[in-house]
């Protein structure tokens, strides 16, 4: 299994490199100290299983440098750029290496390898503290100013503490070609600029020399987010750091979690009748929704089948005492999943109030919505019924064991179970519910039991008050 060097979760870097990308700029040649990457969402430490490159070897982008044993599997550490392996800091078999802890050193020239033969991270750290973050001095007046490959922008994903983050080889090519890295969009981890990015920017500059020179750097418009880039037959739409983190998280979940899905149809006629009856005596701002009943039923089902309110933790299964439901909500630019906390302790009134408060926080730009509002969920509910989609087989969220996908509510023809009826079939209002399960935590029988209990509560809402 191959993975990229850096994964993100909830906007936080689980990083393959220390935040300052530690370097020593004393008497040593330019080099890069690489830390242990986070190769799974829950990884905190790892073990070097095998080195597939030895000191002095050439590393090409895409090569596997070493294999790392994580809390879940043995995975490959794949190079993102060309370089030479100058020094291995953690020998094969070294265990309990913390994420971000230096494991090897690279250089961009083979001639620099020998100078780092006795490299020690302890000796290099003091030198890295001060000059490392300082930008390279601007060329003297007699030297033509470098051509900016793109409009100047506010510090973006490829900057750390105001400093452009790029590989040594990318910096070398940029210096030699006169391309300013400040305007180059990086395609490496966390937007890190690699060789291919500089070469692409150089090609754009060379194809439009007049237009580039006509716009002074000071007059270039600043942008808080990267704009779409048009390439003739297609357009590239840049992703925010959080969007990239979410995508990496979903990918890792699909790779790591042995999913299975169970689907059932639930009849809502009694629930809709109960909702209509209750809403007659409620104010317009307190009207109960079908979603309130669904949340209540899910929370009560977790009480009946507590094994589902759990998470796989590698060497043990953690069973949660309260039900915190991550509720998928559609917003401009995608979806978010804020958490309704302690849903098992609230009745329909409390759930209704909590949902309204959460919706207000999500939709109001001036709200005090924080990262904590999206963390700590023990179960996820996704509803795509408003798009007339019949069913949804979801991906189980991190640190959870199951996720419920709901489809559209529709009138369907079903067998008539009334023994006194003259018609064989009848109309019923139904919805399809699909439970995605982590097989490591929930076996098929437990998953089926959960769905059966959920169906029982939804189809007979009076049971929710018992």
């Amino acid at each position: 299994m191959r993975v990229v060097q850096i994964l993100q979760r909830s906007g936080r870097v689980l990083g393959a490199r220390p935040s300052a990308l530690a370097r020593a700029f004393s008497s040593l040649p330019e080099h890069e100290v690489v830390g242990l990457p986070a190769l799974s969402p829950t990884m905190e430490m790892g073990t070097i299983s095998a080195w597939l490159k030895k000191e002095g070897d050439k590393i090409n982008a895409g090569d596997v440098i070493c294999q790392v044993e994580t809390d879940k599997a043995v995975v490959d550490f794949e190079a993102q750029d060309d370089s030479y392996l100058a020094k291995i800091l953690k020998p094969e078999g070294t265990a309990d290496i913390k994420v971000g802890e230096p494991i090897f050193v690279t250089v961009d020239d083979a001639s620099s390898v020998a100078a780092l033969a006795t490299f020690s991270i302890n000796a290099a750290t003091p030198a890295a503290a001060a000059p490392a973050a300082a930008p390279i001095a601007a060329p003297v007046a007699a030297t033509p100013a470098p051509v900016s490959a793109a409009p100047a922008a506010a510090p973006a994903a490829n900057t750390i503490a105001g400093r452009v983050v790029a590989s040594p080889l990318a910096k070398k090519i940029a210096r030699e070609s006169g391309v300013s890295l400040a305007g180059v969009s990086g395609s490496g981890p966390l937007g890190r600029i690699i060789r291919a990015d500089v070469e692409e920017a150089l090609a754009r500059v060379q194809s439009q020399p007049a237009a580039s020179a006509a716009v002074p750097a000071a007059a270039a418009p600043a942008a808080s987010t990267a704009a779409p880039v048009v390439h003739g037959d297609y357009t590239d739409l840049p992703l925010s750091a959080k969007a990239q983190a979410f995508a990496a998280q979903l990918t890792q979940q699909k790779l790591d979690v042995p999913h299975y899905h169970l689907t059932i149809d639930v009849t809502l006629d009694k629930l809709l009748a109960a909702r209509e009856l209750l809403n007659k005596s409620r104010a317009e701002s307190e009207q109960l929704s079908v979603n309130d009943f669904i949340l209540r039923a899910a929370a009560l089902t977790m009480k009946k089948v507590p094994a589902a309110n759990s998470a796989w933790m590698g060497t043990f299964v953690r069973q949660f005492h309260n039900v915190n439901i991550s509720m998928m909500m559609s917003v401009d630019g995608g979806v978010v999943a804020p958490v309704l906390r302690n849903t098992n302790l609230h009745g329909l009134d409390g759930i209704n109030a909590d949902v309204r408060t959460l919706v207000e926080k999500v939709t109001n730009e001036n709200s005090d919505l924080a990262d904590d509002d999206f963390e700590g969920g023990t179960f996820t509910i996704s509803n795509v019924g408003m798009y007339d989609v019949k069913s949804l087989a979801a991906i189980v969220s991190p640190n959870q064991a199951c996720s419920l996908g709901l489809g559209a509510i529709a009138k369907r023809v079903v067998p008539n179970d009334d023994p006194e009826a003259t018609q064989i079939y009848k109309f019923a209002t139904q919805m399809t519910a699909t439970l995605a399960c982590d097989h490591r935590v929930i076996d098929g029988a437990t998953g089926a039991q959960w769905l059966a209990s959920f169906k029982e509560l939804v189809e007979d809402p009076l049971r929710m008050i018992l």
Side-chain angles (χ1 to χ4, degrees), residues 2 5 59-65 76-82:
R2 297 182 177 232
Q5 295 179 12
I59 300 174
N60 297 310
D63 287 352
V64 177
I65 303 173
D76 295 340
F77 186 173
E78 190 174 292
Q80 297 291 309
D81 209 347
D82 296 349

Side-chain angles (χ1 to χ4, degrees), residues 358-436:
L358 204 57
V359 170
E360 172 64 21
K361 292 177 71 174
V362 170
T363 56
N364 186 353
E365 295 181 357
N366 299 319
S367 70
D368 57 348
L369 195 66
D371 288 344
D372 290 345
D373 291 306
F374 300 95
E375 298 177 353
T378 64
F379 178 66
T380 297
I381 294 181
S382 306
N383 192 334
V384 294
M386 67 288 293
Y387 303 110
D388 203 28
V389 174
K390 183 178 180 180
S391 64
L392 169 67
I395 297 175
V396 176
S397 298
N399 298 319
Q400 298 180 17
C402 54
S403 179
L404 184 66
L406 303 175
I409 298 174
K411 286 279 188 181
R412 301 175 188 171
V413 177
V414 299
N416 196 334
D417 54 2
D418 184 355
E420 299 181 0
T422 58
Q423 299 295 325
I424 300 176
Y425 297 100
K426 66 177 181 180
F427 283 104
T429 305
Q430 290 191 330
M431 173 182 66
T432 299
T434 303
L435 187 68

Side-chain angles (χ1 to χ4, degrees), residues 327-338 359 362-363 383 386-387:
M327 188 173 65
M328 285 289 182
M329 298 173 58
S330 178
V331 296
D332 290 340
V335 296
V336 294
V359 170
V362 170
T363 56
N383 192 334
M386 67 288 293
Y387 303 110

Side-chain angles (χ1 to χ4, degrees), residues 252-265:
Q252 198 65 34
Q253 282 294 105
K254 195 64 175 175
L255 290 171
D256 291 344
V257 177
H259 285 72
Y260 72 91
H261 296 85
L262 300 172
T263 301
I264 197 169
D265 291 329

Side-chain angles (χ1 to χ4, degrees), residues 2 56 93 123 151 168 211-212 234 321 324 352 391-392 421 423:
R2 297 182 177 232
S212 300
Y234 60 90
H321 299 158
N324 300 328
N352 179 268
S391 64
L392 169 67
Q423 299 295 325

